[in-house]
């Protein structure tokens, strides 16, 4: 799997929204999508196995399946959503980056606040 | 609550309120270090650089950068926030501990009801409404909850407030270091009767407090289970009431029922009091 | 079938009858005037279906001023009730409804539309664009706001207003304690407006990032546009939290779920948490554009560059990000633990640092300049002491243990009025006076304006300084009355007097506008640049033609227009006849209006829990969306000839 | 007024373009990314609420009693596959293959329908053992979080249907290419959300 452009001809144009000026590109086998699909299946199976076969437990398990979930985002973003491609300034990367940061802040912050100092011995 | 004590927050009657007042004073001084120069500078600049023909002040329309100046006004606020931050963090952690380590604390359980305050004394077995009596010079551990919408428990002269929340047992340490009657009020809006949810804290020397407890036990009626339910359901304000006893476990049951069972911390606070 | 709270629809309260009657009369009068002068078609064609950002901006402004009046009347009613101890002017229920609608209206239906008005009027002109990125969506935003506001405002006459504060904390707002339609009105009104606000946020982010004239790099962008970008960023990341908070509360109320209820495993504190994840950023949403206005006004009236442009940009971005990390300072007293309180206290204080940088930069913009004091500058200079004191008391509130003593007291009330009025409202008034000629082609008269300013300014301090003291005396907020003998009476009376002075100030602003409209020929702005200002919008005639720029300029530096003037190149800067080409513009559409009406129907359905009406409304929404999706709308071309004629008529060719 | 080409003011060099240089389609896709960012925050808040309420079962059924491993495994693989076929649809769209596009788009929508169907039947099963939304805080959080995702998917299906209709009528025009790109982004995004749903709600529920 080299660059997306190599596998997909001109079609990276669209990923980032250059849907306009439409001209069909020549046919290629959708390698990138197939690889993405296989990877996503793999990650999912791993997560399932880790939980159902009790490879780990407690916090380590949570950490592992969260990491697997994050990898899934990466797969979707790069193999299906063509996240980094296209012309022009890549403001959408910034937008999603912020969203990710605030997601962590809001979820983490809420959990921290709502635990009411549960772990705080005083 | 005589004339000179009207600025309740500025007239603390206990160590907690005093710590808070100290921080308030520190913060006022620190922000004034900024505010006053800003005001003076503003007055000066708008006067000096007014646009009239015979103004001789320099006019430099292109001058718009100065590293030095900018360092100054990033730097000074950083310093002030730094200093204030240290005080704040220190006091934040200090106030979760009892104000005075030596004396053994008194525990009072506080419940916000619509629209009155119920106080239960687990060690004395008595209960009061809209008045809470405490011994002076002894730390009091208020354990606060609500059997009503979220409220706040606030006695300005003794110390700042803590929310009274359904399903939560919140601990608030207060202490009065002199006898007196202190004004308290609900701190968070709970509906129609909220405006009249005032109560009084009566602080007396320990001996008088003990005598008062004895008196209540002898001469006041008991708060029965149905009486308790009536208080909860009444949806009205009530005058001050005193009870020689209250239904055992009503405080814990209320908290548990409303979600306390999910909070490790609540369970430990409730259990520690038993 | 009548709803179970049918009796509340026909309360015997004279206040409600009065409101009923006056709303009825005003509506009849409007219908009559429109019919008599045959203006219905005009109203529909020119305003209800417009997608022109300039007109939408004006609509926002008018709506905001009307809502300021409504919120102000609420304030005066509250202040009257509080002027003496133990008054019976308003009953507890009424007082509760009034402070709730006052707060809700002032924040969501005054402050928000004011900033959106400024965005719409100014941003496309400042960056050299023909319109916003999505003009159609822009119209939807306005009408969603409008019908949201309408929904909240009719609550007073049908069914009762919400009465649990503008924060609407659970579990007070659960069915258990509050089962009337009032809270539903609140929830649906805010949800509907919220959708509009989110769309505006997206619209302006893309407009600013993608529609700038060639050569206008980010670091050449006028600072008001930067503030609009910053505020829009805060909008899009904050509003979803409100959507969720209100959505879950609605599910609790209508479907009997247990998110925030007292029993069955609900967690009321989570509502407060979600609300403030939105609520704190919200207050920065409404202050950032005010900072932006000042960033335009100070340089313009000091005849000088803005001091420290790049630090201004840096501080905008710092405030944008920090504003998301302080929400818990609204509930220090919830006892989430000293770690939580310490973190959020430090973060809250830290936001004073980038804010302070702005204040100093403004002052050093005036320093070594030539300060003129027409109305916009007056409001801007009035802003500084007011906001600095308000910000300083904000920093005091941020010291968590200090806040244990201030929380929900009048000290807090004084803090936030100082930043909301002294900050947002002053800033927006500055903007209104500043850009008024660009909107309408004439200036607002000075003399009356100055009077209005002084009435506001004096009234402001008289109203709110006593409230700091009342807070320290232990007076809590949201109480409809208080006993004598607390020492609160005289300060409250003083505060009421101040409120009346502010009310007068508002009337003078209205008079100022009416007077200027009547004398518009004397006040006409023929130059297009009445203030000798700096950014691109002043290179256009006042008011700007509907296509904005006949030829999109290429930008070569900051303060482009100022530099052009400095080097005497204004003649070259006009469009040359040969350059003018056809201009592509979006079509008007009635759909945004109808779409929002459909949402209004959904809202009403939820308010009274009439699910048939909800389904009907959603069907309307869906039908309009499908209709839109099948449409091939490429807008229309304005022929070059027509533009040439128009530019000649404007004296620019 | 002679102005040279090198004029610093760019008066001569100024752009001849009109407002529509910014390709309309490109702008819409950019805006949609920003919309996705807001939707992400929406789900973040729902997740936060679910996590906070997760243990509050009020004596009613908890995740272990309720969640059916085969059920959510099926849902997961169906949705992952639909994300893949949606990608294929965009792929063949770029190649201008209308029939293949109609095929893959239909397959995607059908997989989506299957997913929603499974989810609905899961909900029906829960409700039949009186695990309703008003049973406990945990169940309120569960139904709302999973249901909101389900509503998003349903909307996506409707949306794809509308586009399918347009493809069949108009063929692959630039506007339709743009709409497809956007609905594709939406669909992949929902897949991402689901990955977190099955991780945080289901897997952590049964672990
Ligand atoms: C426009 C609206 C606005 C703005 C800009 C602010 C700005 C700030 N606010 Fe305010 N606030 C509100 C609107 C606003 N607030 C509202 C509506 C509420 C109450 C809601 C309710 O409960 O109903 C509230 C409540 C509120 C609370 C909760 C109190 C409580 O409920 O008990 C706190 C606590 O930390 C707080 C802090 C701050 C701080 C630190 C700032 C800072 O951003 C201020 C920064 C500015 C300055 C500091 C001045 C300029 C700086 C300098 C000149 C240089 C440096 C100065 C120093 C280092 C001191 N605010
Ligand atoms: C931008 C926001 C904004 C603005 C501009 C204002 C403006 C004013 N506010 Fe408001 N206020 C809030 C936001 C705002 N407020 C919020 C968020 C709350 C919290 C609500 C809550 O607790 O939930 C609040 C709460 C609040 C309280 C506390 C109530 C309580 O807790 O019990 C008070 C009390 O004095 C008050 C007073 C005022 C006054 C006197 C004005 C003045 O500036 C108003 C000036 C007056 C006018 C503009 C009116 C002009 C009209 C006329 C002159 C017509 C007269 C005609 C007739 C009477 C028929 N406000
Ligand atoms: Cu790359 Cu599809
Ligand atoms: Cu805040």
């Amino acid at each position: 799997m080299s660059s997306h452009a190599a596998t997909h001809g001109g079609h990276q144009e669209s990923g980032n929204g250059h849907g306009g000026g439409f001209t069909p590109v020549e046919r290629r086998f959708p390698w990138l999508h197939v690889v993405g699909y296989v990877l996503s299946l793999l990650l999912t199976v791993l997560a399932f196995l880790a939980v159902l076969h009790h490879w780990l437990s407690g916090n380590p398990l949570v950490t592992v399946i969260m990491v697997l979930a994050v990898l899934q985002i990466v797969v979707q973003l790069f193999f299906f959503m063509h996240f980094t491609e296209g012309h022009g300034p890549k403001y959408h990367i910034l937008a999603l980056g912020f969203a990710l940061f605030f997601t962590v802040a809001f979820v983490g912050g809420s959990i921290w606040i709502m635990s009411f100092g549960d772990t705080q011995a005083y | 609550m005589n004339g000179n004590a009207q600025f309740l927050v500025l007239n603390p009657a206990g160590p907690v309120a005093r710590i808070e007042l100290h921080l308030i004073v520190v913060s006022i001084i620190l922000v004034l270090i900024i505010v006053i120069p800003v005001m003076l500078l503003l007055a000066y600049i708008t006067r000096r650089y007014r646009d009239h023909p015979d103004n001789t002040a320099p006019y430099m329309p292109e001058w718009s950068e100065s590293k030095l100046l900018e360092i100054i006004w990033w730097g000074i606020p950083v310093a002030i926030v730094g200093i204030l931050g240290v005080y704040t963090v220190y006091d934040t952690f200090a106030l979760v501990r009892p104000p005075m380590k030596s004396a053994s604390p008194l525990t009072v359980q506080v419940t916000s009801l619509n629209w009155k305050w119920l106080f239960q004394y687990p060690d004395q077995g008595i209960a009061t409404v809209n008045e809470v009596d405490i011994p002076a010079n002894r730390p009091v551990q208020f354990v606060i909850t609500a059997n009503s919408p979220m409220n706040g428990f606030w006695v300005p002269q003794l110390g700042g407030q803590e929310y009274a929340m359904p399903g939560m047992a919140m601990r608030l340490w207060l202490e009065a270091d002199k006898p007196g009657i202190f004004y308290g009020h609900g701190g968070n809006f709970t509906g129609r009767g909220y405006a009249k949810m005032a109560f009084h804290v009566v602080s007396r020397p320990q001996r008088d407090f003990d005598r008062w407890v004895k008196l209540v036990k002898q001469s006041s009626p008991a708060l029965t289970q149905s009486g308790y339910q009536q208080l909860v359901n009444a949806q009205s304000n009530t005058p001050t009431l005193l009870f020689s006893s209250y239904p055992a476990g009503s405080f814990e049951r209320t908290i548990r029922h409303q979600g306390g069972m999910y909070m490790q911390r609540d369970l430990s606070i409730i259990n520690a009091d038993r | 079938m009548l709803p179970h709270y049918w009796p509340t629809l026909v309360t015997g309260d004279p206040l409600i009858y009065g409101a009923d009657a006056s709303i009825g009369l005003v509506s009849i009068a409007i219908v009559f005037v429109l019919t008599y002068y045959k203006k219905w078609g005009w109203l529909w064609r020119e305003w209800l279906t417009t997608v022109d950002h300039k007109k939408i901006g004006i609509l926002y402004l008018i709506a905001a001023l009307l809502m300021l009046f409504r919120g102000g009347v609420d304030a005066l009613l509250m202040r009257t009730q509080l002027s003496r101890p133990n008054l019976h002017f308003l009953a507890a229920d009424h007082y509760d409804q009034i402070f709730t609608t006052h707060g809700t209206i002032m924040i969501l239906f005054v402050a928000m539309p004011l900033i959106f008005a400024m965005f719409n009027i100014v941003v496309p002109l400042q960056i050299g664009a023909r319109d916003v990125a999505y003009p159609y969506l822009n119209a939807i935003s306005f009408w969603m706001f409008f019908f949201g506001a309408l929904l909240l405002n009719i609550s007073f006459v049908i069914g009762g207003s919400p009465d649990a504060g503008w924060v609407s904390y659970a579990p007070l707002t659960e069915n258990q304690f509050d089962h009337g339609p009032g809270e539903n009105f609140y929830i649906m009104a805010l949800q509907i407006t919220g959708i509009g606000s989110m769309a505006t946020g997206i619209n302006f982010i893309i407009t600013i990032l993608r529609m700038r004239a060639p050569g206008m790099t980010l670091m050449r962008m006028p600072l008001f546009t930067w503030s609009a970008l910053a505020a829009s960023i805060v909008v899009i990341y904050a509003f979803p939290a409100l959507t969720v908070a209100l959505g879950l509360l609605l599910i609790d109320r209508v479907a009997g779920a247990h998110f925030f209820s007292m029993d069955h495993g609900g967690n009321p504190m989570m509502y407060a948490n979600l609300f403030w994840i939105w609520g704190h950023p919200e207050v920065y949403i409404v202050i950032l554009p005010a900072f932006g206005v000042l960033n335009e006004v100070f340089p313009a009236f000091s005849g000088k560059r803005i001091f420290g442009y790049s630090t201004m940009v840096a501080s905008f971005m710092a405030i944008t990000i920090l504003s998301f990390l302080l929400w818990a300072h609204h509930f220090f007293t919830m006892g989430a633990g000293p770690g939580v309180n310490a973190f959020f206290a430090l973060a809250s204080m830290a936001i004073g640092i980038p804010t302070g940088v702005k204040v100093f930069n403004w002052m050093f913009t005036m320093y070594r300049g030539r300060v003129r004091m027409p109305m916009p500058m007056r409001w801007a200079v009035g802003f500084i002491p007011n906001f600095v004191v308000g910000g300083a008391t904000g920093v005091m509130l941020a010291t968590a243990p200090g806040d244990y003593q201030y929380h929900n007291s009048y000290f807090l009330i004084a803090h936030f009025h100082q930043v909301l009025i002294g900050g947002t409202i002053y800033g927006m008034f500055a903007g209104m006076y500043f850009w008024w000629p660009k909107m309408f082609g004439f200036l607002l008269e000075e003399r009356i304006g100055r009077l209005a300013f002084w009435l506001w300014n004096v009234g402001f301090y008289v109203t709110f300084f006593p409230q700091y003291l009342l807070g320290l005396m232990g007076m809590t907020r949201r109480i409809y009355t208080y006993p004598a003998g607390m020492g609160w009476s005289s300060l409250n009376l003083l505060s009421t007097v101040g409120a009346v002075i502010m009310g007068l100030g508002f009337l003078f602003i209205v008079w100022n506008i009416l007077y200027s409209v009547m004398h518009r020929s004397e006040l006409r702005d023929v130059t297009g640049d009445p203030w000798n200002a700096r950014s691109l919008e002043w290179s256009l005639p006042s008011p700007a033609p509907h296509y904005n720029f006949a030829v999109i300029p290429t930008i070569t530096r900051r303060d482009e227009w100022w530099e052009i003037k400095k080097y005497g190149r204004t003649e070259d800067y006009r469009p040359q006849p040969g350059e003018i080409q056809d201009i592509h513009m979006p079509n008007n559409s009635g759909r945004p209006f109808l779409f929002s009406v459909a949402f209004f129907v959904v809202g009403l359905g939820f308010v009274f829990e009439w699910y048939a009406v909800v389904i009907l409304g959603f069907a309307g929404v869906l039908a309009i969306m499908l209709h839109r999706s099948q449409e091939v709308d490429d807008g229309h071309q304005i022929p070059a000839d027509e533009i040439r004629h128009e530019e000649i008529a404007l004296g620019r060719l | 007024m002679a102005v040279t080409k090198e004029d610093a003011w760019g008066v001569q060099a100024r752009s001849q373009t009109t407002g529509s240089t910014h390709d309309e389609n490109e702008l819409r896709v950019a805006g949609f990314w920003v919309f996705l960012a807001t939707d992400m925050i929406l789900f973040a808040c729902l997740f936060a609420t679910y996590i906070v309420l997760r243990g509050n079962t009020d004596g009613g059924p908890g995740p272990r009693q309720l969640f059916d491993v085969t059920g959510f495994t099926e849902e997961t693989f169906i949705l992952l596959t639909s994300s893949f076929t949606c990608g294929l649809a965009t792929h063949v769209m770029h190649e201008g293959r209308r029939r293949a596009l109609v095929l893959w788009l239909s397959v995607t929508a059908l997989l989506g329908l299957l997913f929603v169907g499974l989810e609905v039947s899961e909900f029906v099963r829960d409700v039949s053992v009186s695990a309703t939304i008003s049973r406990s805080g945990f169940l309120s959080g569960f139904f709302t979080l999973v249901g909101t995702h389900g509503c998003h998917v349903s909307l996506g299906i409707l949306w794809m249907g509308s586009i399918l209709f347009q493809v069949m009528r108009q063929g692959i025009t630039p506007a339709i290419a743009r709409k497809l790109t956007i609905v594709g982004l939406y669909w992949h995004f929902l897949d991402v959300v689901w990955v977190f749903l099955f991780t945080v709600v289901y897997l952590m529920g049964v672990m």
Side-chain angles (χ1 to χ4, degrees), chain A residues 17-85:
Chain A
H18 299 253
F22 180 80
T23 36
V25 299
E26 73 183 271
R27 286 197 194 187
R28 292 241 164 93
F29 184 76
W31 276 114
L32 202 76
H33 292 121
V34 172
V35 171
Y37 182 49
V38 170
L39 279 178
S40 72
L41 291 181
L42 214 69
L43 290 168
T44 314
V45 170
L46 272 178
F48 271 89
L49 290 180
V51 172
L52 299 176
H53 289 247
H54 306 285
W55 288 352
L56 293 161
S57 64
N59 284 337
L61 179 55
V62 171
T63 314
V64 166
I65 59 180
M66 285 310 288
V67 168
L68 289 172
V70 170
L71 290 178
Q72 286 269 22
I73 306 190
V74 176
V75 170
Q76 293 285 329
L77 280 179
F78 288 90
F79 290 84
F80 293 145
M81 295 165 93
H82 313 299
F83 187 51
T84 52
E85 295 155 22

Side-chain angles (χ1 to χ4, degrees), chain B:
Chain B
M1 277 188 307
N2 34 24
N4 63 357
Q6 281 178 340
F7 282 94
L8 303 179
V9 171
L10 307 182
N11 284 284
V16 174
R18 206 162 288 124
I19 291 177
E20 286 161 357
L21 178 62
H22 178 254
L23 185 60
I24 288 172
V25 171
V26 167
S27 67
I28 291 178
I29 293 171
L30 285 172
V31 300
L32 283 182
I33 292 180
I34 296 269
V35 170
I36 291 175
V38 167
M39 300 293 178
L40 295 178
L41 210 59
L42 180 67
Y44 168 75
I45 290 176
T46 47
R47 216 160 272 269
R48 177 91 168 86
Y49 296 100
R50 259 311 171 77
D51 184 33
H52 48 82
D54 42 349
N55 191 341
T56 54
Y59 175 45
M60 304 170 71
E62 299 297 321
W63 180 72
S64 64
E65 301 283 337
S66 161
K67 280 267 144 21
L68 178 70
L69 283 173
E70 299 206 38
I71 288 172
I72 292 176
W73 58 66
W74 282 93
I76 295 178
V78 167
I80 288 187
V81 166
I83 299 169
L84 191 55
V86 170
Y87 276 101
T88 301
V89 172
Y90 183 84
D91 286 349
T92 306
F93 280 88
L95 287 179
V96 296
R97 288 186 287 271
M100 196 202 275
K101 288 244 162 53
S102 53
S104 74
L106 172 80
T107 296
V108 179
Q109 297 170 333
V110 183
T111 312
S112 161
L113 302 176
N114 271 354
W115 285 282
K116 61 233 146 215
W117 291 96
L118 173 67
F119 301 97
Q120 298 171 337
Y121 294 71
D123 299 323
Q124 285 72 20
I126 60 172
T128 60
V129 169
N130 288 344
E131 173 182 317
V132 52
D133 293 58
I134 58 170
N137 291 313
R138 188 173 153 195
V140 183
Q141 179 192 196
F142 289 97
V143 182
I144 305 167
T145 193
N147 197 352
S148 72
M150 186 164 105
N151 205 330
F153 177 78
W154 187 29
V155 190
Q157 283 184 280
L158 297 188
Q161 60 171 297
E162 184 88 42
Y163 278 164
M165 296 168 282
M168 299 286 296
M170 304 310 298
R171 205 189 328 230
L172 175 66
W173 290 102
L174 294 179
E175 180 181 327
D177 51 16
K178 59 185 177 211
I181 299 178
F182 308 112
Y183 170 83
H185 199 282
N188 194 63
F189 182 68
T190 56
R192 188 158 32 87
Y194 167 75
K196 307 235 159 118
M197 272 189 86
F199 60 91
H200 292 105
V201 180
V202 181
S203 151
R204 317 184 154 85
Q206 180 73 41
R207 250 180 320 136
D208 294 1
F209 174 76
D210 293 338
R211 216 173 300 144
W212 172 82
V213 171
K214 210 173 287 166
L215 192 73
V216 172
K217 278 186 119 72
Q218 283 162 1
S219 59
S220 299
L223 178 62
T224 59
Q225 183 60 40
S226 68
Y228 178 80
Q229 272 315 319
Q230 260 172 21
L231 275 183
V232 173
N233 296 338
Q235 307 283 312
S236 61
N237 301 111
T238 330
T240 303
L241 302 168
L242 303 173
F243 298 104
S244 59
S245 71
Y246 60 85
S250 53
F251 186 74
E252 292 80 356
R253 267 199 308 280
T254 306
I255 294 176
R256 254 172 224 279
H257 174 68
Q258 290 169 349
M261 57 188 161
Y262 306 115
M263 307 291 300
Q264 269 325 106
R265 183 178 146 289
D266 280 21
L267 297 180
S268 70
I269 288 183
I270 297 170
N271 293 337
D273 298 341
R274 283 291 75 229

Side-chain angles (χ1 to χ4, degrees), chain C residues 276 279-281 283-284 326-327 329-330 415:
Chain C
W276 288 115
H280 183 81
V283 305
Y284 290 92
L326 345 161
W327 76 89
H329 72 202
H330 290 274
H415 155 68

